[in-house]
């Protein structure tokens, strides 16, 4: 019986099974990459300079772990300062008040325009500029007079330098997020009787988060690594802890590897956190929600038909 | 003698050098449905946005329910209202937008309960109960947990109407509520609006749906280039227009 469609006994059209095109280029490229990778792995494992034994020895050394804790503290506190400052600066920048807007612009100009290392050194040496600090009414009486040298420790100088610098970058990220929200959203919120602050907090910022989160995740990962600059002002974070050890035992390479391993572990944890945060703030942005890594793995392993070709 | 729900006297509005409203005078009585017709750029939407102070007028007088929009009169001087006072007045006026402007990160139910909870400080459970009723009333009892992207344009606009009604407004403003919809979906939104009109809601509707205006409106106003060209009953304005401009517009839309 002639039929315009190719059908099998189930009545459904057959899927096309054709001989795939040969792609020799892909095979050659893959072979080259494999050879290079094998050579690298061999050199890393075999070469004595890496001293994997020493790496193992120091990986959980209490001085390294103490440095890791300081690195994490610096990252968390500096990012917290950066995010809060960033939101304030972004709102100031978008404010109809020209003085607020310009002040914010000037802050961003200054802190983005100078290297963070210079800023760190600056805060570390702040006592040379203001030996005596005071807290009180501007141009009026002061209540406390802390000594700058004792108040601004190396750790606090690190926090200030990293956090205030981060605020400038976060301000631009938050501003981009706020601008990305459709103006109709503010119209709708205000027509329902919300004030400008409520509109920003309840309607605009939550939607801006979708745009703000991915670059903020990058900033956090970048901050984790930038904290190593604090070693220059003698904050005993991960890198400086390792430097203190290898200045005594003269084994810099294995200790730098130890440090790198810990940085990689931390950035990996941050990647996972970022994924879940992005998923949370993507609600309503797409029809479906992207599956978690675990769900994808489960689907790949337990699905009845494997399609890994 | 009852106070007019909306009273506009010689209202003018400029954007920079461009004068969009050139002296609008009209009155809407409580329970009245007014349809604003006119070509795009004639100032209909701007006038609507002036009524709940999303735009500031430059001159003239505009009052809602006997109170000036955006100002308080003390003696013969006008004082600008504080933001919280403006917000309180806006809460009594519902507005429905051409592009729905639903909050995309919230479910239909949360869209409707958001303002009552945040602005009116209604208890969460009470607000949800009322939102379920309203969503059922616009035919969306089965979409409570749906996000806006998961709904058709017609469904989204009906949620937007429910969201505005949740604040129990005394006046509803519709800014081209069906212009962004597929022709097949226009009917369901107009159906909800007709029901609302029958229930006695005071409504100002900017629309291109002549059929709707003919059937539902008490007054039809035809605007062009920032002025009211003519107004009157639907029969007068739509069937026997007096002005050439109205006639030529209607011949193109009908």
């Amino acid at each position: 019986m002639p039929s315009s469609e190719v059908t099998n006994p189930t009545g459904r059209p057959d899927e096309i099974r054709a001989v795939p095109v040969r792609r020799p280029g892909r095979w050659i490229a893959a072979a080259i990459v494999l050879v290079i990778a094998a050579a690298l792995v061999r050199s890393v494992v075999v070469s004595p300079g890496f001293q994997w034994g020493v790496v193992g020895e120091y990986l959980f050394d209490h001085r390294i772990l103490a440095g890791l804790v300081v690195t994490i503290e610096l990252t968390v506190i500096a990012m917290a300062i950066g995010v809060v400052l960033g939101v304030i600066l972004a709102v100031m920048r978008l404010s109809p008040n020209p003085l607020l807007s310009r002040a914010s612009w000037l802050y961003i100009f200054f802190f983005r325009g100078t290297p963070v290392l210079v800023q760190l050194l600056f805060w570390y040496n702040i006592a040379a500029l203001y030996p005596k600090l005071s807290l009180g009414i501007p141009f009026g009486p002061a209540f406390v007079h802390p000594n700058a040298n004792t108040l601004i420790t190396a750790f606090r100088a690190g926090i200030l330098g990293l956090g205030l610098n981060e605020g400038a970058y976060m301000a631009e990220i938050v501003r981009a997020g706020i601008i990305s929200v459709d103006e109709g959203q503010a119209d709708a919120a205000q027509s329902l009787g919300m004030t400008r602050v409520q509109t920003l907090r309840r309607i605009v910022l939550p939607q801006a988060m979708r745009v703000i989160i991915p670059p903020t995740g990058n900033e956090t990962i970048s901050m984790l690594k930038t904290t190593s600059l604090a070693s220059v002002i003698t904050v005993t974070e991960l890198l400086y802890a390792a430097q203190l050890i290898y200045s005594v035992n003269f084994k810099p390479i294995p200790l730098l590897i130890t440090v790198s391993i810990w940085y990689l572990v931390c950035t990996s944890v941050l990647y996972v956190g970022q994924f879940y945060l992005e998923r949370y703030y993507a609600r309503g942005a797409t029809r479906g929600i992207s599956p978690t890594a675990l769900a994808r793995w489960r689907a790949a392993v337990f699905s009845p038909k494997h399609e890994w070709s | 003698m009852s106070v007019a729900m909306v009273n506009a006297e010689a209202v003018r509005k400029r954007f920079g050098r461009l004068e969009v409203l050139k002296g609008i005078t009209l009155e809407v009585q409580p329970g009245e449905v007014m349809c604003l017709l006119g070509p795009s750029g004639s100032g209909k939407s701007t006038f609507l946005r002036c009524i709940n102070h999303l735009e500031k007028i430059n001159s003239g007088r505009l009052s809602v329910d006997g109170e000036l929009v955006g100002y308080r009169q003390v003696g013969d001087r006008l004082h600008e209202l504080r933001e919280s006072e403006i917000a309180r007045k806006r809460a009594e006026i519902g507005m429905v937008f051409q592009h729905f402007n639903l909050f995309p990160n919230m479910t239909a139910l949360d869209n409707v309960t958001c303002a009552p909870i945040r602005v009116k400080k209604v208890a969460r459970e009470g607000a949800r109960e009322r939102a379920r009723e309203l969503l059922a009333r616009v035919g969306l009892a089965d979409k409570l947990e749906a996000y806006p992207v998961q709904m058709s344009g017609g469904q989204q606009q009906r949620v937007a109407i429910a969201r505005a009604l949740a604040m129990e407004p005394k006046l509803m403003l519709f800014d081209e509520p069906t212009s962004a919809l597929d022709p097949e979906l226009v009917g369901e939104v107009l159906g909800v609006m007709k029901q609302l009109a029958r229930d006695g809601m005071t409504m100002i509707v900017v629309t291109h749906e002549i059929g709707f205006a003919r059937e539902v409106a008490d007054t039809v106003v035809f605007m062009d280039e920032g002025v009211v060209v003519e107004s009157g009953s639907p029969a007068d304005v739509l069937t026997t227009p007096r002005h050439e401009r109205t006639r030529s517009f209607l011949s193109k839309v009908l």
Side-chain angles (χ1 to χ4, degrees):
Chain A
M1 196 173 79
S3 162
S4 60
E5 240 181 322
V6 189
T7 54
N8 59 17
T10 63
R12 268 182 303 194
D14 271 327
E15 275 184 41
I16 294 172
R17 289 178 199 285
V19 179
V21 172
R22 306 274 169 226
R23 302 183 191 276
R26 285 189 188 177
W27 287 100
I28 295 167
I32 293 173
V33 170
L34 277 177
V35 168
I36 294 174
L40 273 174
V41 170
R42 183 179 172 279
S43 103
V44 167
V45 174
V46 174
S47 151
F50 283 94
Q51 303 178 59
W52 288 103
V54 181
V55 172
E57 198 181 307
Y58 281 104
L59 196 57
F60 295 101
D61 186 282
H62 69 95
R63 285 164 293 178
I64 293 289
L65 292 183
L68 178 66
V69 170
V70 174
T71 289
I72 292 170
E73 281 174 357
L74 275 176
T75 308
V76 171
I77 301 174
M79 272 316 287
I81 293 175
V83 169
V84 172
L85 202 57
V87 172
I88 294 171
L89 285 167
V91 172
M92 279 171 68
R93 187 99 166 77
L94 296 169
S95 150
N97 182 336
L99 191 71
L100 288 185
S101 161
R102 298 228 173 108
S104 168
W105 181 88
L106 196 69
Y107 181 97
I108 295 168
F109 167 79
F110 186 77
F111 280 88
R112 278 208 314 181
T114 53
V116 67
L117 182 55
V118 173
Q119 290 173 32
L120 281 171
L121 290 168
F122 202 88
W123 287 110
Y124 187 55
N125 293 303
I126 193 75
L129 184 60
Y130 295 111
K132 273 221 160 65
L133 304 173
S134 62
L135 186 66
I137 301 164
F139 307 109
F143 307 125
V144 269
H145 302 271
N147 184 314
N149 247 332
T150 49
L151 183 73
I152 308 292
T153 60
F155 181 77
R156 288 181 189 155
I159 294 280
L160 278 174
L162 295 170
L164 296 184
N165 181 263
E166 187 56 34
Y169 284 91
M170 283 308 301
E172 290 297 277
I173 291 171
V174 173
R175 189 170 73 101
I178 291 176
I179 292 174
S180 78
V181 178
D182 184 67
E183 280 183 16
Q185 293 290 311
D187 280 353
Q190 295 192 320
S191 78
L192 288 165
M194 291 193 199
T195 60
R196 219 175 310 183
V197 174
Q198 277 178 319
T199 302
L200 184 73
R201 182 161 139 56
R202 301 287 174 191
I203 304 299
V204 175
L205 275 181
Q207 292 182 53
M209 287 306 260
R210 201 168 56 80
V211 177
I212 293 172
I213 289 288
T216 304
N218 292 340
E219 286 294 312
T220 310
I221 289 167
S222 161
M223 173 62 82
L224 183 86
K225 295 175 293 175
T226 309
T227 54
S228 61
L229 287 181
S231 63
V232 174
I233 57 169
T234 71
V235 178
T236 323
E237 45 65 67
L238 191 51
L239 178 61
Y240 194 55
Q243 285 176 328
L244 287 177
I245 297 172
Y246 73 64
S247 66
V248 176
N249 70 5
F250 303 110
K251 289 175 180 166
I253 295 294
L255 275 156
L256 289 174
I257 290 174
T258 307
V259 164
S260 304
I261 289 172
W262 277 119
Y263 280 122
L264 279 173
V265 168
C266 292
T267 47
S268 307
V269 171
L270 288 175
Y271 275 124
V272 174
Q274 185 178 4
F275 173 81
Y276 282 96
L277 258 178
E278 278 181 31
R279 209 169 76 106
Y280 176 78
Y281 281 106
R283 282 168 315 155
T286 50
R287 270 158 219 267
I289 262 181
S290 60
T292 63
L294 197 65
R296 256 180 299 171
W297 179 82
R298 236 185 264 131
V301 174
F302 296 116
S303 65
K305 206 164 137 197
H306 293 254
E307 290 188 15
W308 289 347
S309 46
Chain B
M1 191 194 97
S2 72
V3 184
M5 184 58 81
V6 175
N7 187 10
E9 288 169 41
V11 168
R12 285 171 180 270
K13 169 70 188 170
R14 260 181 292 112
F15 289 111
R17 282 220 195 124
L18 182 71
E19 191 163 46
V20 183
L21 300 178
K22 299 170 183 163
I24 301 287
T25 298
L26 55 79
E27 217 172 75
V28 183
Q29 299 305 324
E32 183 179 342
V33 176
M34 174 182 280
C35 281
L36 292 179
L37 306 182
S40 49
S42 59
K44 316 176 296 281
S45 293
T46 304
F47 179 64
L48 214 56
R49 291 170 63 86
C50 288
I51 294 175
N52 65 358
H53 210 53
L54 284 177
E55 305 289 352
K56 245 186 202 174
I57 64 174
N58 295 109
S59 73
R61 298 221 143 202
L62 182 56
S63 59
V64 171
D65 208 8
E67 290 178 34
L68 285 180
V69 175
Y71 303 94
R72 185 187 312 109
Q73 187 159 15
V74 182
D76 54 357
R77 288 191 69 136
L78 291 183
H79 295 252
E80 273 189 358
L81 290 185
R82 259 175 304 172
E83 209 210 321
S84 57
E85 295 171 304
I86 293 171
R88 214 171 306 134
K89 290 197 172 181
R90 280 192 188 128
E92 300 175 340
I93 304 173
M95 185 157 190
V96 174
F97 300 86
Q98 180 176 0
H99 296 290
F100 331 135
N101 297 356
L102 287 184
F103 306 132
N105 53 335
M106 299 182 196
T107 60
L109 196 64
D110 290 339
N111 261 284
V112 179
T113 57
C114 182
I117 292 173
R118 301 284 174 214
V119 177
K120 277 190 149 183
K121 314 291 182 198
V122 176
R124 183 169 294 269
E125 253 329 294
R128 290 175 78 87
E129 190 51 44
R130 175 97 179 100
R132 277 189 217 104
E133 280 171 35
L134 284 168
L135 285 167
R137 194 163 134 199
V138 298
L140 293 171
D142 57 335
K143 291 284 179 189
L144 302 180
E145 297 304 325
Y147 284 99
V149 274
Q150 295 164 328
M151 290 185 267
S152 73
Q155 291 170 334
Q156 288 188 50
Q157 194 60 298
R158 285 184 283 155
V159 174
I161 294 173
R163 176 174 72 175
L165 291 176
M167 293 297 284
E168 292 169 336
K170 55 188 178 189
L171 165 68
M172 284 283 283
L173 309 173
F174 292 85
D175 188 4
E176 302 200 28
T178 58
S179 297
L181 296 178
D182 289 344
E184 282 186 315
L185 304 178
V186 168
E188 60 191 57
V189 172
L190 292 184
V192 169
M193 291 168 60
K194 280 176 199 166
Q195 184 57 49
L196 205 53
R198 270 198 293 274
D199 294 345
M201 176 64 75
T202 313
M203 295 161 61
I204 305 180
V205 186
V206 170
T207 186
H208 295 300
E209 297 290 333
I210 306 297
F212 174 82
R214 195 189 299 278
E215 189 185 333
V216 182
D218 300 303
T219 317
V220 172
V221 172
F222 178 74
M223 279 175 69
D224 189 26
E225 293 183 354
V227 294
V228 172
V229 176
E230 64 182 295
S231 67
S233 71
D236 288 345
V237 177
L238 299 174
T239 316
T240 52
R242 277 168 296 148
H243 290 265
E244 177 50 39
R245 187 68 192 91
T246 318
R247 241 171 276 145
S248 80
F249 175 78
L250 288 173
S251 71
K252 279 173 204 144
V253 203
L254 282 174

